[in-house]
Amino acid sequence: MATNNAMFLEGHSITRHPMFIGINFVFWRDRMKIFVQSIDIDLWYIICEGPLEANVIDVNTHRLRPKTRYELNAKDKVNLSLNAKAINILYNILDADEFSKVKGCKSAKEIWDKLKEIREGNEDIRE
């Protein structure tokens, strides 16, 4: 028979992100999705689809190039900030071992995809 203490487990915080320590990835992944969406749905889109690029066509080469700091408009800055926020969230939810696996990634999408590939495998592995 369970004691009263064992009958009620403490719930998770709605304001504190779920930490990932390398186990039970699917459970963590699903909780993380809802956590990020509850902060800002656009952050979740950045994680899943990647950041919106701030590019311009170079007048000399007629090719796309990243905008310089001085060419960025307000919308570009918001998009760059969203990617930085998403990266910050993802970096802060990983323990040191998991962080070392993704520390070279340049975007939140790249981090998320790398975590999924490490823990779930890629499509070739899943098939």
Side-chain angles (χ1 to χ4, degrees):
M1 184 158 111
T3 66
N4 285 343
N5 292 339
M7 291 176 62
F8 300 100
L9 297 175
E10 188 174 324
H12 300 285
S13 171
I14 62 170
T15 59
R16 190 176 54 222
H17 52 74
M19 289 294 296
F20 184 58
I21 58 172
I23 57 173
N24 208 352
F25 178 76
V26 173
F27 174 71
W28 172 84
R29 179 199 64 202
D30 293 345
R31 289 184 58 224
M32 192 63 192
K33 174 183 175 183
I34 297 303
F35 176 79
V36 171
Q37 288 177 346
S38 74
I39 295 171
D40 186 337
I41 195 71
D42 287 328
L43 286 174
W44 183 245
Y45 296 141
I46 294 290
I47 290 171
C48 290
E49 300 169 7
L52 298 172
E53 301 286 330
N55 294 321
V56 67
I57 296 176
D58 188 288
V59 293
N60 298 321
T61 65
H62 303 290
R63 294 182 184 200
L64 278 180
R65 65 165 174 78
K67 289 182 178 180
T68 66
R69 175 178 165 205
Y70 304 103
E71 294 172 314
L72 295 174
N73 60 36
K75 188 174 182 176
D76 294 331
K77 290 177 183 178
V78 166
N79 290 328
L80 291 170
S81 180
L82 281 173
N83 187 55
K85 287 177 185 178
I87 290 171
N88 185 45
I89 289 170
L90 292 173
Y91 276 175
N92 281 292
I93 51 87
L94 301 174
D95 69 8
D97 290 335
E98 296 302 314
F99 174 79
S100 69
K101 296 171 185 170
V102 298
K103 67 181 177 184
C105 296
K106 302 291 185 210
S107 72
K109 178 179 177 21
E110 192 177 347
I111 294 168
W112 189 256
D113 290 348
K114 181 87 166 188
L115 288 170
K116 284 177 38 180
E117 184 176 329
I118 291 168
R119 296 296 167 185
E120 297 178 329
N122 59 30
E123 286 190 30
D124 294 335
I125 294 170
R126 284 191 295 267
E127 287 177 7

